[in-house]
Amino acid sequence: MAVEVVMPKLGMAMKEGTVSLWNKGVGDTVEKGEPIASVNSEKIEIDVESPAEGTLLKITVPEGEGVPPGTVICFIGKPGEEVAVGQALVPDQKPEVENEASANKPAESTIPARKAGERVKISPIAKKMAEAANLDIEEIQGSGPGGRITKEDVQEALKMSSIQKKEKSEEKPVELQEETQQVTVSGIRKVIATRMYDSLQKTAQLTINMKINVTDLIALQKQTAETIKNRYEQKLTLTDYIARAVVLSLQQHQQMNSALIDDKIHLFKPVHLGMAVALERGLVVPVIRNADTYKLIDLSQTIKELAQKARQGQLSNEEMQGSTFTISNLGSYGVEHFTPVLNPPETGILGVGAVYDTPSFVGDKVERRSILPLSLTFDHRVLDGAPAAAFLQTVKQYLEEPITMLL
């Protein structure tokens, strides 16, 4: 008997999984333990391995289609082996009909058909309504006694006429239809779409911006680069310093390190920092738990390790849950200011833009200064603009006096 391969359950909360890629086709030989397909659910993607040696007999779930866990996605067996219909219900199966001709036969109408040349029977009010709407009463089927056209029949005809006109007006030119590519929203993209829509619908989001002078920070980064590399075999990036400044600031502004859940504001003492990572298939947010206990060098190393796991699709559910604040960095794309969307139920998210140089007065002299734009989105239900600005001001102080982050 053919072996069933089912959609795995990737986490307790999983309701649907999607086949993102089939590595094998029908008729291909597969070895036991060989990856035959890639499947994803929300933010996790894994390879499904063949449970047995044989031939891929039938694929029941095409690429891009979402199904509940436990659903059979393919069958593996001996070459030429038939898959029993009762063995599993596959998506393309339809209930068998004993008599297809009778099944496709339209139901017989109980309304007598009007004979050719027969006078149209219609009520006076129905006739007035039809004339006012320029309806051809010959085209209206009466439902009254003896096939008489009633007011309701005219109203139904008007309704059908309106629907047909609307459908005709919404028709697109053939050339536009041919140029359109339709992509099913599923997997990570579907989760992101749902979460971001819910975030904007269920929170009172406000974004404030601030420019940070990071000239001294960049100088410190360059001065310590060789020492850091020789001692720790890694590099401290601007993102690492920003993350450290945010963690220190959240410890001083606990109201920003919070979440509104069931009409109660939960203030968190530990800082679980989310660091958004952009992937080809969507955005994921690995979480550095208890980031407030990390030194700068340890925080930097953890950020890089989680980002690498995210790009390789190796993050676990636990590594993507429980964040209390998130940082989203678009600086590498040349973006200066943007409006990040809250990651529910968090109270705040910091958007990091690209550093740019600008002339600035220092006393009576004009000097070049490096400016870092930051955008803070916060939930106005939890805190007001003043405390949010105070938090951002503290981040600014740490970044403009970077030595304080090393003490």
Side-chain angles (χ1 to χ4, degrees):
M1 179 178 290
V3 177
E4 300 175 355
V5 181
V6 301
M7 175 64 69
K9 188 173 180 64
L10 310 177
M12 295 299 294
M14 174 181 173
K15 295 182 180 179
E16 183 180 273
T18 302
V19 178
S20 53
L21 177 68
W22 279 104
N23 300 322
K24 295 287 185 175
V26 175
D28 289 348
T29 301
V30 296
E31 300 292 334
K32 184 177 181 179
E34 182 180 6
I36 56 177
S38 295
V39 300
N40 63 67
S41 171
E42 298 187 346
K43 300 178 181 179
I44 301 176
E45 184 164 356
I46 67 168
D47 289 330
V48 175
E49 299 179 351
S50 174
E53 178 182 342
T55 300
L56 183 56
L57 301 176
K58 185 178 183 65
I59 292 176
T60 59
V61 178
E63 291 181 1
E65 183 173 320
V67 294
T71 302
V72 178
I73 61 174
C74 70
F75 292 90
I76 294 175
K78 299 178 181 179
E81 182 179 356
E82 294 186 1
V83 178
V85 175
Q87 188 170 342
L89 180 63
V90 295
D92 58 350
Q93 280 185 328
K94 297 180 181 178
E96 294 186 2
V97 180
E98 292 183 4
N99 190 333
E100 186 174 353
S102 62
N104 295 330
K105 183 179 179 180
E108 295 184 1
S109 174
T110 58
I111 302 174
R114 187 183 304 122
K115 297 179 181 179
E118 183 180 357
R119 182 176 67 85
V120 177
K121 299 178 182 179
I122 185 171
S123 68
I125 187 171
K127 185 175 182 181
K128 289 182 179 180
M129 290 173 60
E131 290 175 349
N134 292 321
L135 293 178
D136 186 358
I137 61 175
E138 293 284 351
E139 300 295 328
I140 302 176
Q141 181 66 53
S143 61
R148 185 179 183 180
I149 300 173
T150 64
K151 177 179 69 174
E152 288 74 17
D153 296 329
V154 177
Q155 290 174 336
E156 183 65 22
L158 285 170
K159 181 179 177 181
M160 295 301 298
S161 177
S162 176
I163 293 175
Q164 291 173 359
K165 289 180 180 179
K166 182 178 180 181
E167 289 177 347
K168 187 174 182 180
S169 66
E170 292 178 349
E171 288 181 356
K172 297 180 180 179
V174 175
E175 61 270 19
L176 292 181
Q177 291 179 343
E178 292 176 349
E179 294 174 358
T180 300
Q181 180 182 5
Q182 297 183 1
V183 179
T184 302
V185 180
S186 60
I188 294 178
R189 188 74 263 158
K190 186 176 181 179
V191 173
I192 294 174
T194 302
R195 287 179 62 85
M196 294 300 96
Y197 178 80
D198 289 343
S199 174
L200 290 171
Q201 294 296 315
K202 298 178 181 179
T203 58
Q205 301 192 25
L206 177 65
T207 302
I208 57 178
N209 304 304
M210 189 172 289
K211 297 178 180 178
I212 317 297
N213 182 356
V214 291
T215 307
D216 292 342
L217 174 58
I218 293 176
L220 176 65
Q221 181 187 16
K222 292 179 179 178
Q223 291 170 5
T224 58
E226 186 174 352
T227 301
I228 296 296
K229 183 177 180 181
N230 292 336
R231 180 173 297 182
Y232 301 104
E233 297 184 350
Q234 68 179 77
K235 176 183 177 182
L236 285 178
T237 66
L238 194 60
T239 299
D240 299 332
Y241 283 101
I242 294 171
R244 177 61 174 164
V246 166
V247 170
L248 293 173
S249 300
L250 288 172
Q251 290 179 291
Q252 298 179 41
H253 301 269
Q254 194 175 10
Q255 197 174 5
M256 185 61 71
N257 192 46
S258 65
L260 180 60
I261 305 173
D262 297 331
D263 295 327
K264 293 182 180 180
I265 299 175
H266 297 249
L267 302 175
F268 303 108
K269 185 175 181 180
V271 176
H272 304 316
L273 186 64
M275 298 293 295
V277 178
L279 306 177
E280 184 177 349
R281 63 182 186 276
L283 189 73
V284 297
V285 184
V287 181
I288 305 169
R289 302 193 66 82
N290 301 304
D292 50 304
T293 63
Y294 286 61
K295 296 180 180 179
L296 176 59
I297 193 68
D298 299 323
L299 184 63
S300 171
Q301 184 176 358
T302 305
I303 290 174
K304 293 176 178 60
E305 288 176 353
L306 288 176
Q308 182 66 18
K309 291 180 69 174
R311 296 185 183 98
Q312 295 175 349
Q314 297 177 350
L315 288 172
S316 65
N317 268 343
E318 291 73 18
E319 291 172 322
M320 293 187 292
Q321 295 178 355
S323 56
T324 58
F325 189 90
T326 296
I327 296 177
S328 179
N329 193 338
L330 293 181
S332 61
Y333 297 93
V335 175
E336 291 184 3
H337 291 284
F338 64 100
T339 304
V341 179
L342 286 177
N343 185 20
E346 296 172 17
T347 293
I349 179 172
L350 184 68
V352 180
V355 175
Y356 63 91
D357 290 339
T358 185
S360 178
F361 278 101
V362 181
D364 295 332
K365 297 180 180 180
V366 177
E367 299 181 3
R368 185 169 69 178
R369 287 290 181 260
S370 298
I371 303 300
L372 170 69
L374 297 180
S375 304
L376 174 68
T377 296
F378 62 96
D379 192 342
H380 215 320
R381 299 175 304 165
V382 177
L383 74 168
D384 297 324
F391 163 77
L392 197 54
Q393 184 66 37
T394 303
V395 175
K396 173 184 172 72
Q397 291 174 355
Y398 277 116
L399 294 175
E400 291 189 343
E401 301 175 23
I403 192 65
T404 59
M405 290 188 283
L406 306 178
L407 299 177

